[in-house]
Amino acid sequence: MNVAFIHAGFSKSGGIERVVSIILNALSKDSEYNLFSIEYVKSEKLSVKIDDAVKRFHLYESGISMTSALVKGGVINKTIRLLKENNIDVVIGCGALYFPVAVVAGKLANVKSICWEHTNPKINCDFKFQKQIRMFGLRYSDANVLITESAKKYYDSIKKKKNILIYNPVDDDLFVEYTPYNIESKKIISVGRLCYAKNYDLLIKIAEKVLKKHDGWSWDIYGDGEEYEKLNRIISKTSVIGRLALKGNALNIYELYSNYSFLVMTSRYEGFPMVLLEGAAKSLPLVSFDVETGPNEIIIDSVNGYLIDKYNPDIMVERIDNLINNEEKRKKMSSNAYDTAKKFSLETICAAWKSLLREMKQ
């Protein structure tokens, strides 16, 4: 079976890039599947590893808005040509921005299409006409893949067609070597693209309050994005310079998790946060706001971490204080976090994808 994934590319290190690469690499190991990566823009430098068995193409050499690409850039025709030349059976649009390309090109090339939702479908502030594009994909694709229960319920409430729940997997590489929890660590980690959705403005305020009370502790933020300069300026005006730092992208982030005591996420909204699963796989207790989709399907409050009422910074500071002051609680949550990660094994998630793909081809 020939399966194509249409997506932004692998030049950035966000959650979508990581999960697409994990599924592509995993499916490529099964001789039943020939995998094709159709990248919107050419990825000069890869942020993830892609198996040599995956055939990669790009639609554009450099950035062009999707509006321009649809109106005059010929993105549909380019995609149709790739689908036909490679005898694609199923095309998957990865993220709402790529739904219309996958669906329209799929219809015109006589190829089944899947829209793979990667975030909270009720939030439509990432780009213009996001809501309309989502609804187009939902109604005209052959199947929709949702990554949380709440997202699936929302899609079902609009149109009861083939809406499938398939969680994002934990990368098997995280389990290659078990590293005991580092109870001696006095470092907190946050990971994610430096953008509006991740709410780092609030995280910096929380971090300053925490670090002022706990000498010897520090907090590192990994990731890059459009808010890097702004956030750096905000940090430079705090009283904890040198203890709160933007660390940029890290290709060895899996190895770095084990240097930390616990992971904190302050997102305004999420899809299914890979960062929480990665931290759990490395036995880190998890702390997150209880936003509508994602965290509450990974974190069990007071068991493997803390779920905080949405955007309540005072409670988050209180919970972080509690973790810092209680080694036994961190140890227990660490063990439970690791057990949680095991439930999202790549083998289980891949089996669900294979089942859906076979059904699409039939």
Side-chain angles (χ1 to χ4, degrees):
M1 184 187 307
N2 297 333
V3 183
F5 290 68
I6 300 179
H7 57 100
F10 297 116
S11 59
K12 297 177 182 177
S13 60
I16 294 179
E17 289 80 8
R18 289 207 296 281
V19 74
V20 170
S21 70
I22 291 168
I23 297 299
L24 272 171
N25 290 339
L27 290 175
S28 72
K29 291 177 173 58
D30 188 328
S31 60
E32 182 181 346
Y33 301 93
N34 297 310
L35 276 299
F36 299 80
S37 172
I38 301 177
E39 298 156 29
Y40 187 62
V41 177
K42 186 176 182 179
S43 301
E44 296 291 349
K45 185 177 180 181
L46 298 186
S47 63
V48 292
K49 293 179 182 178
I50 303 299
D51 194 289
D52 290 339
V54 177
K55 298 177 180 68
R56 296 177 56 222
F57 304 93
H58 60 271
L59 297 170
Y60 295 97
E61 292 288 332
S62 57
I64 176 175
S65 74
M66 183 59 77
T67 302
S68 296
L70 288 168
V71 173
K72 58 183 180 181
V75 66
I76 299 296
N77 289 334
K78 288 182 179 186
T79 305
I80 290 172
R81 185 175 68 252
L82 285 172
L83 297 181
K84 288 183 174 180
E85 287 176 352
N86 293 284
N87 298 312
I88 301 299
D89 298 296
V90 181
V91 59
I92 302 168
C94 307
L97 188 61
Y98 303 96
F99 289 179
V101 180
V103 171
V104 176
K107 296 278 186 198
L108 295 175
N110 197 27
V111 172
K112 295 286 188 179
S113 64
I114 296 173
C115 289
W116 186 6
E117 180 64 76
H118 279 271
T119 188
N120 182 351
K122 294 182 182 179
I123 304 295
N124 294 288
C125 60
D126 295 325
F127 53 87
K128 283 185 178 180
F129 309 116
Q130 187 172 8
K131 182 176 181 180
Q132 291 84 349
I133 285 173
R134 267 205 175 98
M135 292 303 103
F136 177 85
L138 185 156
R139 294 181 187 281
Y140 296 107
S141 64
D142 294 294
N144 301 295
V145 170
L146 294 312
I147 55 176
T148 63
E149 284 279 6
S150 55
K152 183 179 182 301
K153 288 177 182 176
Y154 177 68
Y155 263 52
D156 285 344
S157 71
I158 299 171
K159 188 172 179 65
K160 289 181 172 61
K161 59 177 297 182
K162 189 170 286 300
N163 301 321
I164 311 295
L165 171 64
I166 304 180
Y167 284 118
N168 286 343
V170 177
D171 192 340
D172 273 353
D173 287 348
L174 285 157
F175 296 121
V176 168
E177 183 178 347
Y178 175 75
T179 306
Y181 179 61
N182 186 358
I183 195 62
E184 302 298 325
S185 174
K186 291 187 175 182
K187 299 199 295 183
I188 302 166
I189 185 172
S190 295
V191 182
R193 183 163 176 77
L194 305 184
C195 61
Y196 173 81
K198 302 303 181 184
N199 206 12
Y200 282 120
D201 304 60
L202 183 55
L203 183 145
I204 291 170
K205 293 177 182 178
I206 291 168
E208 184 173 21
K209 289 181 180 180
V210 168
L211 297 177
K212 283 169 70 174
K213 291 190 284 185
H214 299 282
D215 291 339
W217 281 76
S218 61
W219 195 321
D220 292 334
I221 302 169
Y222 288 90
D224 202 354
E226 57 271 23
E227 293 198 344
Y228 183 91
E229 295 300 332
K230 183 189 83 169
L231 296 173
N232 227 3
R233 286 195 300 272
I234 295 173
I235 290 173
S236 71
K237 296 176 183 177
T238 68
S239 59
V240 290
I241 302 171
R243 297 170 61 202
L244 173 61
L246 298 179
K247 307 293 281 188
N249 284 334
L251 293 179
N252 64 332
I253 190 66
Y254 290 176
E255 300 168 23
L256 295 176
Y257 281 120
S258 298
N259 297 329
Y260 291 87
S261 180
F262 54 91
L263 182 147
V264 177
M265 193 172 76
T266 57
S267 297
R268 288 183 167 90
Y269 57 90
E270 280 287 342
F272 189 73
M274 293 294 291
V275 164
L276 293 183
L277 282 183
E278 291 168 3
K282 286 301 181 181
S283 303
L284 295 187
L286 310 170
V287 181
S288 173
F289 287 131
D290 187 14
V291 293
E292 188 170 14
T293 65
N296 59 17
E297 296 185 42
I298 299 171
I299 299 176
I300 303 171
D301 188 49
S302 299
V303 175
N304 59 0
Y306 286 122
L307 275 174
I308 317 298
D309 286 343
K310 192 160 62 171
Y311 315 144
N312 192 326
D314 293 334
I315 297 298
M316 182 169 277
V317 170
E318 182 182 307
R319 295 290 187 270
I320 293 173
D321 286 343
N322 184 275
L323 277 179
I324 288 174
N325 293 326
N326 194 326
E327 285 191 3
E328 287 305 312
K329 180 159 286 188
R330 295 206 305 274
K331 284 182 184 177
K332 183 64 175 176
M333 285 185 171
S334 165
S335 176
N336 292 335
Y338 184 77
D339 291 341
T340 296
K342 283 290 189 180
K343 297 176 183 177
F344 297 92
S345 72
L346 181 55
E347 181 181 3
T348 300
I349 303 312
C350 256
W353 270 106
K354 289 177 181 180
S355 175
L356 174 60
L357 291 172
R358 291 190 193 104
E359 187 177 345
M360 286 294 98
K361 188 176 181 182
Q362 290 169 3

